[in-house]
Amino acid sequence: MAKEGLRKDCQLILLIKQLYLSILERQLNMSSLSFNRFLYKEAAKDLENNNEQFMVYNSTGNCVVLAGPGSGKSKVLTLKLAKMLNEDVAPPQGVACLTYNKECARELKEKLNKLGIYESSSVFIDTVHSFCLNHVIKPYKHLAETCLPEKIKVATSQEIQNIKLRAFNTTIGKYEKMNGSFLAAFDVYRRTFIDRSSVAWKTNDRDIAKWIVDYETMLHSQGLIDYDDMVLNGLWMIEQNQWIQKVLRAKFPILAVDEYQDLGTPLDKIVRILCLENGIRLLAVGDPDQSIYGFTGANPNLLSELANHSEVLKVQLKKNYRSREKIVKASLATLQEDRGFISSREGEGKIEFHEIKDGLEGQCDYICKTIIPRIISAEYPGTLGDIGILYIDKNDGDKIADKISEAGYQFIRVDGNAPYKKNKLTLWIENCAIWCSGGRLQGEPRYADIEQTYRNFFLKFNISAKNIEEKEIKLFNFLNNNRDSELSLFYWLNLFREQIILDLENCFDDEPDIFTEFNKLILAAEDGQLKDFKVSSLSRQVGSKEHLNLYTLHSSKGLEFKYVIIFGLEYGRIPWTNANEEKTNESRRLFYVGITRAMDELHLLYSGWYCNNFGKICKLGVSPFVSELKNYIDH
């Protein structure tokens, strides 16, 4: 009798949940969004006013899109994916879309959801690491020759660090001490010299090569792999086994790649094997001018070379929908290349240079006491959330965060000293917080998407439909009972952990650091950077209207703000004084990325000197990139 009563209670709760969501979606007029299979056709009419975008949309073969900043890249990509999924493939065949990181994947999924396209067994949207692990290594490792352990587990960052140090001490460590330069060389070498039988691998740097081999041997002996293992072994398995190439072609006749310029040599080789040699159709989107991750092995030339391949249609998107004319022209002057970009927005825009004699501290003071108050004054229509403050590294982030806290402003921070990192769990928790604090009333995020993500966490477990249903009811009860934007974030997160998160403890073997970041989030809400935050303050990648946005130049890529402030622009910091031509060019692209985040107004701050990490004052003048830009604008 007790079990029967519990079953009826669950059915009643489920019925109430379905009724509530039905009413909510009807109020938001969203039911048609879920079921109109051809919604993309209506949305694609906007592309007809842009010849290049429309060319991509109607392409029938391999297509590489060179998409400048603000050129509507995401819109074109999602509409083209929706078109191909509806017109060019049919289940069980599908499309694999590879992205640079989890945040890019999440944003792409959300955009496709609005077009009625949802991730499924025939629609894969995730990182290249996840693709290699889940569609190459796991299903076929036992059928192909690899160096991987029989049972694999993804190593935590601490395990990786410990094993790297042990391997280093058996080779280079006899003469040197491991530092950041050695670690960077390790990563770039491993991701650049892919062919382990080549002369280049063996001779370019014998010590680094031996260190890598020793590290991998130690790692695998403990039954562990790391993220580079996923991509490298995925590539080698594809490269050496034609039957895997055929299987992938049968499963995914279309391969899409977003932010191609950031993904490096292994991904480029995978694309060339699958698409140019095996006939999988390619849709690649990226911008060589925004390639800023050389330290990960990214190479902007790979995308340029692919775009010029004889079997590929190259389309360049030239219209900038983000920035006003003066900012677009300034960005091209910085790049020192004429890409033919034009602004589609009315008005000239504004660029201001601020020479602050008092170094980084003085620059941060000036931002908080002069620039920000002016933007949020009655004279300007701006809010704190319209402002993006960009800087070179996490140490600069500490300086500006301290000054902003003193000034009494709240902020969202994304850098190495941010309270937590983004991963699939923290991104989902952010979505849940947004829904609880009012997002449900605007239909973004949709509850159905939150629930689907939650259900996907349990995919690898053999859980009954009834068990999943019970978990979904728990989730609904928690979110529905805590729909209060004024709740303390710490209180809300603790409830969430007790009622929901503990059920997920065994769901993330592929990402062992996931719960580390969740625990950091709770600690930050208890007595850290997020101490005074409410549920409504836990925003996603871009802060709410009540919070300033603090980002390193690297982490700002893909974002846009009405007002952009970049400080710390000294020679020796950007670019480095000892940088070779390749590194200088990458620094130029990084500066270009920062400039092109601005929609209406750009502020550049510098002092002409800075204090380095050893306390030495370096008087090297302003960054040459700033000098070039100022000279261009003045003349």
Side-chain angles (χ1 to χ4, degrees):
M1 290 292 291
K3 287 185 178 180
E4 180 64 20
L6 179 61
R7 185 181 66 81
K8 289 182 178 179
D9 285 345
C10 287
Q11 288 176 338
L12 180 59
I13 292 171
L14 186 60
L15 182 62
I16 292 171
K17 171 188 144 184
Q18 291 170 339
L19 180 61
Y20 171 80
L21 293 174
S22 175
I23 293 170
L24 189 60
E25 289 198 345
R26 200 175 300 123
Q27 288 173 338
L28 295 167
N29 193 28
M30 293 189 64
S31 57
S32 61
L33 181 65
S34 301
F35 301 104
N36 185 347
R37 183 169 172 247
F38 299 106
L39 186 67
Y40 71 95
K41 288 190 174 182
E42 188 64 30
K45 290 179 181 178
D46 289 344
L47 304 184
E48 295 177 12
N49 297 319
N50 184 311
N51 291 335
E52 290 82 14
Q53 290 182 346
F54 204 53
M55 188 185 304
V56 175
Y57 182 73
N58 287 318
S59 62
T60 56
N62 296 327
C63 182
V64 171
V65 186
L66 301 180
S71 60
K73 177 259 294 183
S74 296
K75 183 177 183 179
V76 174
L77 175 61
T78 51
L79 287 171
K80 181 60 177 176
L81 282 171
K83 185 175 192 285
M84 292 190 295
L85 280 163
N86 278 295
E87 300 179 21
D88 300 335
V89 296
Q93 288 190 314
V95 171
C97 185
L98 312 186
T99 66
Y100 176 64
N101 57 32
K102 295 290 184 183
E103 174 67 13
C104 292
R106 195 271 295 271
E107 290 178 356
L108 183 57
K109 289 175 188 178
E110 289 179 349
K111 288 181 171 68
L112 285 169
N113 290 350
K114 292 177 182 178
L115 297 173
I117 305 293
Y118 297 93
E119 192 172 22
S120 65
S121 58
S122 60
V123 182
F124 175 86
I125 307 167
D126 212 329
T127 64
V128 62
H129 304 86
S130 180
F131 176 79
C132 288
L133 181 65
N134 293 299
H135 290 282
V136 181
I137 294 174
K138 281 186 174 180
Y140 310 126
K141 178 173 69 71
H142 300 293
L143 302 175
E145 186 177 336
T146 74
C147 297
L148 296 174
E150 184 175 348
K151 291 185 178 180
I152 58 176
K153 179 183 176 185
V154 181
T156 65
S157 55
Q158 188 61 55
E159 288 170 330
I160 290 170
Q161 182 178 336
N162 292 341
I163 296 172
K164 275 186 181 176
L165 180 58
R166 281 174 49 210
F168 181 88
N169 287 336
T170 65
T171 52
I172 306 171
K174 297 174 183 177
Y175 317 102
E176 302 279 358
K177 183 177 181 180
M178 191 172 79
N179 56 31
S181 297
F182 276 116
L183 290 170
F186 177 100
D187 290 338
V188 171
Y189 201 92
R190 193 177 179 204
R191 296 163 185 169
T192 302
F193 299 101
I194 305 301
D195 183 358
R196 297 286 175 89
S197 63
S198 69
V199 173
W201 161 261
K202 297 173 183 175
T203 62
N204 195 276
D205 192 322
R206 294 179 185 274
D207 289 338
I208 297 290
K210 186 174 189 312
W211 179 19
I212 292 169
V213 171
D214 287 351
Y215 161 77
E216 290 176 345
T217 301
M218 292 180 185
L219 188 73
H220 298 164
S221 70
Q222 297 183 34
L224 300 172
I225 63 170
D226 64 11
Y227 288 103
D228 280 333
D229 264 328
M230 296 178 194
V231 181
L232 291 172
N233 282 277
L235 165 63
W236 295 331
M237 286 175 64
I238 291 170
E239 201 170 33
Q240 296 165 13
N241 297 276
Q242 287 190 349
W243 62 270
I244 293 180
Q245 299 169 20
K246 293 178 180 178
V247 168
L248 290 174
R249 179 182 177 181
K251 188 172 186 178
F252 297 116
I254 296 175
L255 176 66
V257 184
D258 191 15
E259 301 292 357
Y260 195 100
Q261 77 282 350
D262 293 333
L263 293 168
T265 302
L267 180 277
D268 185 67
K269 285 185 172 290
I270 289 173
V271 165
R272 289 173 184 272
I273 292 169
L274 295 180
C275 300
L276 302 183
E277 297 178 16
N278 282 273
I280 291 179
R281 182 176 168 188
L282 172 67
L283 173 65
V285 180
D287 181 6
D289 295 329
Q290 295 186 71
S291 179
I292 57 175
Y293 298 111
F295 56 88
T296 68
N299 180 351
N301 295 327
L302 297 175
L303 177 58
S304 300
E305 291 168 3
L306 182 65
N308 291 313
H309 194 280
S310 59
E311 296 179 23
V312 169
L313 170 67
K314 177 174 74 173
V315 181
Q316 185 175 23
L317 304 183
K318 296 183 178 181
K319 189 175 287 188
N320 187 314
Y321 295 94
R322 173 188 301 154
S323 303
R324 296 190 188 275
E325 182 180 9
K326 191 171 186 178
I327 296 170
V328 171
K329 288 182 177 179
S331 71
L332 293 175
T334 292
L335 204 57
Q336 297 189 337
E337 297 279 355
D338 184 7
R339 301 292 189 230
F341 297 150
I342 57 172
S343 173
S344 68
R345 298 188 61 205
E346 295 181 359
E348 187 179 43
K350 182 185 291 186
I351 300 176
E352 293 189 4
F353 298 86
H354 306 273
E355 183 175 4
I356 310 298
K357 298 294 186 182
D358 302 325
L360 287 178
E361 295 283 341
Q363 293 175 39
C364 293
D365 262 337
Y366 186 81
I367 289 169
C368 293
K369 294 177 181 178
T370 303
I371 300 179
I372 294 173
R374 193 182 83 188
I375 290 174
I376 62 175
S377 68
E379 176 189 347
Y380 272 64
T383 68
L384 291 177
D386 293 326
I387 302 171
I389 302 177
L390 313 183
Y391 42 87
I392 291 172
D393 60 28
K394 62 184 180 182
N395 299 316
D396 292 356
D398 289 340
K399 289 181 173 64
I400 188 64
D402 288 344
K403 293 293 184 182
I404 287 172
S405 296
E406 288 176 16
Y409 300 124
Q410 286 195 315
F411 58 89
I412 298 294
R413 179 178 178 182
V414 179
D415 62 35
N417 284 344
Y420 67 97
K421 293 179 181 177
K422 309 282 185 176
N423 58 42
K424 68 171 67 172
L425 179 60
T426 58
L427 289 170
W428 178 70
I429 291 169
E430 289 175 1
N431 265 347
C432 292
I434 294 167
W435 191 89
C436 284
S437 57
R440 65 191 182 282
L441 302 176
Q442 284 77 43
E444 191 170 331
R446 298 189 330 139
Y447 182 81
D449 300 334
I450 290 174
E451 186 178 71
Q452 181 61 54
T453 301
Y454 181 63
R455 190 182 302 123
N456 288 345
F457 290 156
F458 298 98
L459 277 181
K460 66 179 179 180
F461 297 101
N462 187 22
I463 297 178
S464 68
K466 181 181 177 182
N467 197 339
I468 285 286
E469 188 176 282
E470 289 171 354
K471 292 181 182 298
E472 290 171 351
I473 289 171
K474 280 179 63 178
L475 175 66
F476 175 76
N477 282 338
F478 171 80
L479 297 181
N480 194 47
N481 292 336
N482 292 280
R483 293 176 295 142
D484 184 351
S485 60
E486 296 302 306
L487 275 178
S488 153
L489 177 59
F490 178 61
Y491 172 79
W492 185 86
L493 285 171
N494 265 314
L495 282 181
F496 205 6
R497 174 170 57 184
E498 292 167 7
Q499 297 183 31
I500 305 298
I501 301 299
L502 290 177
D503 286 347
L504 299 172
E505 280 187 323
N506 299 316
C507 292
F508 303 109
D509 291 343
D510 296 348
E511 297 179 66
D513 290 322
I514 269 191
F515 281 98
T516 300
E517 297 308 319
F518 174 68
N519 291 332
K520 286 181 183 178
L521 172 57
I522 288 190
L523 288 173
E526 180 181 20
D527 196 28
Q529 293 181 35
L530 310 183
K531 182 178 179 180
D532 298 323
F533 273 37
K534 297 180 173 60
V535 175
S536 57
S537 302
L538 190 64
S539 67
R540 289 180 288 182
Q541 184 74 2
V542 181
S544 67
K545 290 298 180 186
E546 291 75 35
H547 294 77
L548 289 163
N549 302 283
L550 275 56
Y551 288 85
T552 62
L553 286 165
H554 281 96
S555 62
S556 72
K557 192 158 79 72
L559 305 180
E560 61 184 26
F561 306 97
K562 283 187 178 181
Y563 312 96
V564 166
I565 303 166
I566 311 177
F567 71 93
L569 297 171
E570 328 298 337
Y571 183 40
R573 289 165 50 83
I574 182 168
W576 300 335
T577 50
N578 60 349
N580 59 27
E581 183 180 2
E582 182 182 344
K583 289 297 182 184
T584 298
N585 288 338
E586 184 170 320
S587 291
R588 182 180 293 280
R589 294 194 296 268
L590 184 62
F591 184 57
Y592 170 77
V593 164
I595 288 174
T596 54
R597 301 311 95 199
M599 300 169 67
D600 297 345
E601 197 167 295
L602 175 66
H603 296 267
L604 304 174
L605 286 80
Y606 50 90
S607 301
W609 66 272
Y610 66 96
C611 190
N612 68 18
N613 294 334
F614 303 101
K616 180 182 177 182
I617 294 178
C618 303
K619 297 181 178 180
L620 302 173
V622 65
S623 166
F625 307 146
V626 174
S627 299
E628 292 165 2
L629 182 56
K630 193 172 188 304
N631 184 61
Y632 167 80
I633 291 175
D634 289 344
H635 296 86

